[in-house]
Amino acid sequence: MSQQEVEQAVHRFSKAVVTMDIGQLMNDLTPEAMVKLQAAAGAGMAVQIQGYEVQSVGQEGEDWVSLVKYLGPTSFTARLVWRKFGNEWKIADADVLATESGG
C-alpha cells in the first residue's frame, strides 16, 4: 500500500476520464462509486473534460483519498476514496465537492 501505487491509480483513472476510456473507468470504479459519479455528472460534465489537476493524495485509515479537479467548460473537484480489492486499487466512494463554470 504505497502512496506511489495510489498516485499511479489516480493518474490512470483521471487520464481515462479525459479520454473517455469506458473500460478503464468501469474497471477503476466500484458499482456504488459509479452510481454516485454518474448522478453528480448528470449534466454531461464528464464528456467535456479536457484535463485534470491532482490536488492531493493522502491516507485515511485503510483507505487513500485523492482530490482531483477535472477541467472543462464546467470544471469540478472530486473526492475519490481508493481501496485495494485484491491486487487492484479501485474507487470505493466518490463525491463531487465543487463545480465552477468557465474552466
Side-chain angles (χ1 to χ4, degrees):
M1 285 194 232
S2 76
Q3 182 162 346
Q4 182 178 1
E5 287 178 321
V6 177
E7 287 177 355
Q8 288 173 346
V10 171
H11 285 285
R12 178 188 69 219
F13 175 76
S14 295
K15 288 174 185 171
V17 170
V18 172
T19 62
M20 288 308 295
D21 181 344
I22 302 300
Q24 186 64 59
L25 295 173
M26 291 183 72
N27 185 64
D28 285 340
L29 289 161
T30 62
E32 299 81 8
M34 186 179 303
V35 167
K36 286 182 79 174
L37 280 181
Q38 285 176 334
M45 290 186 294
V47 176
Q48 302 172 29
I49 297 303
Q50 300 156 347
Y52 70 93
E53 298 171 355
V54 177
Q55 296 180 331
S56 67
V57 176
Q59 192 167 8
E60 289 185 13
E62 296 292 315
D63 297 330
W64 286 77
V65 176
S66 64
L67 293 179
V68 182
K69 184 174 184 177
Y70 293 95
L71 308 169
T74 299
S75 297
F76 63 95
T77 301
R79 180 181 187 272
L80 308 172
V81 178
W82 293 85
R83 190 171 297 149
K84 200 153 192 181
F85 292 89
N87 292 326
E88 296 185 56
W89 286 99
K90 293 185 177 276
I91 298 169
D93 193 20
D95 292 295
V96 173
L97 302 179
T99 61
E100 58 186 75
S101 296

